[in-house]
Amino acid sequence: MRTRSIALVCAATAFAYAPAAVAHHSFAAQFDGDKPVVLKGVVTKVDWRNPHIWVYLDVRDADGRVTKWECEGGAPNALTRQGWSRDHLKLGEELTVEGWRAKDGTNTCNARTWKLASGQAVLAGSSNASAGGAGR
Amino acid sequence: MRRAIAVVVCALAFPALSAAQPAPPDTKPDGTPVPRTADGRPDLSGVWNKRLVVNTAATAEPLPFTAEGLKAFNDVWNHIDPTSKCIFPGVPRVNTSPYPFQIVQLPDKVIFLYEYMHNFRVIYTDGRPHRKSWEPSLLGDSIGRWDGDALVIETVNLTDRTWLDDHGNRHSDALKVTERWRRVSANQLSYEETIDDPKFYTKPWTVSWLIPIAPKEWELMEYACTDNNKDMTDGHLQPGPLDGSLRDGTAIAPPPRPRRLPTQQP
């Protein structure tokens, strides 16, 4: 019972701590908080430019078909001050992105976490500027 | 006790989430001595780590809206936030947008250099009046004066093309902003802004907070908003306040709906 209670509290905590809708643009308008997505793909391009970094992925499904995705991350200046650089993501590297899909149905996402094949989280996760400045 | 255990377990389960919580804001001076210039004034100079203030009016709510102001506040989901289109944040939002800024204090002027959107302001304190020939602009027409230990900046001649913050608080072209800047310790600035906008608010309202000094090694960096604003150039921008707060016709905006966590394939 206690374990279950703790799990529920954790779930509630996770919801409460989900990155706030803080970015260069309106998350709530542009991305769908009801459409979370987990993408596992290969990095094909990293745009380390203001106002947000963009990472391009080739995502292969179970049938071997490749779909191209592009995901938005934090702001270069905030990431740089936190010690991250474009060298933390290499072309051809396998990457798992957790985030939310764009409302317009394109293969675009707003990333919450980036994880290398080793399991290491990189790029400070979300674009939550109010939590230390990785946004906008 | 049980709650404490749950918090610890959650912190272990979600280390990134725990780390993502912002530090509590400074609420009072830390007691360190205030640096002063040769002429005895408090020295505001330095690189300051101003933080994003999402809802600048939070401590003044409910705001004293006029009918027109309430309509504009509730109409915010019909407009794209101007900063999403890389339009300057304007005054006073330039002070509450993210990223550090630098103050250079001189005997006859105080210069504000903002990393965010590379904005700058030269605030003369030599007694000159507001300009007569300037057209309304995003940063307006600012004049400063020293009131004891406070630098007081009055800004007029603003447009209605900027917003007050990420919450979608609005202003009209009748806005007059009064800023009061004080260095209250070696490590902290006190910032106060008064919004005087008779078209949108029946009376002026004032908010304030402290801004910490930046780590010693911090320098201002490039922030070129138009360099790769893919959200705009690819046509993704949509209306609404950046914090996603909703509207119900009242003076207090409901919070955004919580998001589902990404734990499943599309």
Side-chain angles (χ1 to χ4, degrees):
Chain A
M1 180 61 191
R2 171 181 282 190
T3 306
R4 192 174 169 200
S5 300
I6 289 174
L8 286 173
V9 172
C10 283
T13 305
F15 268 109
Y17 285 0
V22 176
H24 173 75
H25 48 78
S26 173
F27 174 95
Q30 191 167 324
F31 296 96
D32 191 337
D34 284 330
K35 287 187 181 165
V37 63
V38 180
L39 300 167
K40 191 171 176 180
V42 172
V43 178
T44 59
K45 181 181 171 188
V46 178
D47 253 343
W48 195 272
R49 294 158 66 188
N50 280 300
H52 286 273
I53 67 163
W54 283 85
V55 178
Y56 296 74
L57 296 172
D58 276 355
V59 177
R60 191 179 297 274
D61 67 15
D63 300 325
R65 285 179 303 226
V66 172
T67 310
K68 294 194 175 298
W69 278 80
E70 43 195 68
C71 290
E72 181 180 59
N77 295 11
L79 293 169
T80 299
R81 288 196 172 98
Q82 291 170 12
W84 301 107
S85 76
R86 64 194 320 150
D87 293 336
H88 285 97
L89 273 190
K90 296 190 169 36
L91 299 187
E93 189 161 30
E94 187 181 294
L95 184 71
T96 301
V97 183
E98 291 184 346
W100 291 273
R101 296 192 67 147
K103 279 186 171 173
D104 64 9
T106 57
N107 288 346
T108 306
C109 93
N110 182 279
R112 175 175 170 272
T113 63
W114 316 84
K115 280 186 184 163
L116 305 181
S118 65
Q120 184 197 356
V122 293
L123 305 183
S126 78
S127 58
N128 185 354
S130 62
R136 347 216 222 241
Chain B
M1 178 62 189
R2 197 163 168 177
R3 190 173 169 188
I5 291 172
V7 168
V8 169
V9 172
C10 290
L12 292 172
F14 299 102
L17 299 177
S18 304
Q21 294 314 293
D26 296 327
T27 53
K28 57 183 181 181
D30 65 10
T32 52
V34 174
R36 291 186 180 269
T37 58
D39 56 10
R41 290 202 172 108
D43 191 357
L44 307 181
S45 299
V47 177
W48 298 94
N49 187 16
K50 73 177 165 59
R51 294 159 183 171
L52 170 66
V53 181
V54 173
N55 180 4
T56 55
T59 58
E61 290 177 336
L63 293 177
F65 286 113
T66 63
E68 190 179 358
L70 185 62
K71 185 179 174 190
F73 179 67
N74 278 283
D75 190 41
V76 75
W77 277 92
N78 291 319
H79 301 275
I80 295 172
D81 186 308
T83 62
S84 296
K85 297 182 280 189
C86 294
I87 293 172
F88 288 173
V91 170
R93 193 177 181 183
V94 71
N95 294 321
T96 61
S97 296
Y99 303 129
F101 71 113
Q102 184 163 8
I103 297 179
V104 180
Q105 183 173 322
L106 299 171
D108 65 337
K109 64 177 83 69
V110 183
I111 301 168
F112 287 69
L113 305 165
Y114 298 90
E115 179 170 305
Y116 186 66
M117 299 223 193
H118 278 217
N119 283 177
F120 70 89
R121 302 167 71 197
V122 181
I123 310 296
Y124 287 96
T125 55
D126 57 3
R128 73 183 63 189
H130 284 293
R131 291 80 177 178
K132 296 203 185 310
S133 60
W134 287 13
E135 291 295 318
S137 61
L138 305 175
L139 289 161
D141 170 10
S142 299
I143 286 293
R145 64 182 167 85
W146 287 94
D147 177 14
D149 279 354
L151 171 67
V152 180
I153 305 174
E154 184 185 87
T155 302
V156 296
N157 212 12
L158 292 152
T159 75
D160 60 0
R161 303 199 305 272
T162 62
W163 291 7
L164 292 178
D165 55 34
D166 288 20
H167 189 59
N169 283 308
R170 309 282 296 277
H171 67 82
S172 77
D173 58 4
L175 174 64
K176 180 177 83 172
V177 180
T178 304
E179 298 154 71
R180 289 181 71 87
W181 296 89
R182 291 182 301 128
R183 186 157 190 169
V184 295
S185 76
N187 306 310
Q188 296 157 304
L189 278 183
S190 168
Y191 171 72
E192 178 187 286
E193 68 178 40
T194 297
I195 304 299
D196 185 356
D197 181 348
K199 281 190 187 173
F200 276 17
Y201 305 102
T202 58
K203 58 184 179 183
W205 49 275
T206 299
V207 291
S208 67
W209 49 81
L210 297 185
I211 297 174
I213 200 158
K216 276 194 171 56
E217 68 275 16
W218 279 24
E219 302 171 74
L220 298 192
M221 298 170 65
E222 174 171 308
Y223 185 97
C225 181
T226 51
D227 186 24
N228 190 33
N229 190 3
K230 258 175 75 69
D231 299 300
M232 181 171 73
T233 55
D234 289 6
H236 294 308
L237 291 183
Q238 299 291 326
L242 297 196
D243 70 357
S245 56
L246 304 174
R247 294 297 185 271
D248 62 4
T250 72
I252 303 286
R257 291 175 53 237
R259 299 179 204 171
R260 285 176 57 207
L261 286 176
T263 53
Q264 60 192 58
Q265 294 288 341

